[in-house]
Amino acid sequence: MHSLKEVKNLVSDTLGLGERGATLTADSPLLGAIPELDSMAVINLITALEEQYGFSIADDEISAEVFETLGSLAAFVDRKLA
């Protein structure tokens, strides 16, 4: 997952996690575990991913599994970039 560090930074910046963002690992749970990651923040994060990586995310690609952990989100980005 070459995107893990970039996705970690993007998640931390988009959600305004500050120092807490530095503690995120591939196994860190996202949905339900980070209070800042509400439904509006998911939309903001999707927009940030699209802008950062230059791809589009279709509605049917968005699922709880994608946002389950930082690693699953980074894996999604890697698949989109492949």
Side-chain angles (χ1 to χ4, degrees), residues 2 9 11 16 19 22-23 25 30 32 37 50 52-53 57 69 72 79:
H2 75 279
N9 291 336
V11 167
E19 293 299 315
T23 65
T25 67
L30 297 179
L37 190 58
E50 290 176 330
Q52 173 80 21
Y53 294 104
I57 300 173
T69 66
S72 64
R79 287 192 303 275

Side-chain angles (χ1 to χ4, degrees), residues 11-65:
V11 167
S12 181
D13 291 346
T14 302
L15 300 179
L17 298 180
E19 293 299 315
R20 288 185 301 146
T23 65
L24 294 175
T25 67
D27 296 326
S28 295
L30 297 179
L31 278 181
I34 299 177
E36 293 86 352
L37 190 58
D38 59 15
S39 57
M40 285 305 297
V42 168
I43 293 168
N44 291 338
L45 189 52
I46 289 168
T47 301
L49 288 167
E50 290 176 330
E51 290 174 0
Q52 173 80 21
Y53 294 104
F55 55 60
S56 294
I57 300 173
D59 289 345
D60 64 350
E61 293 179 292
I62 301 166
S63 67
E65 289 80 25

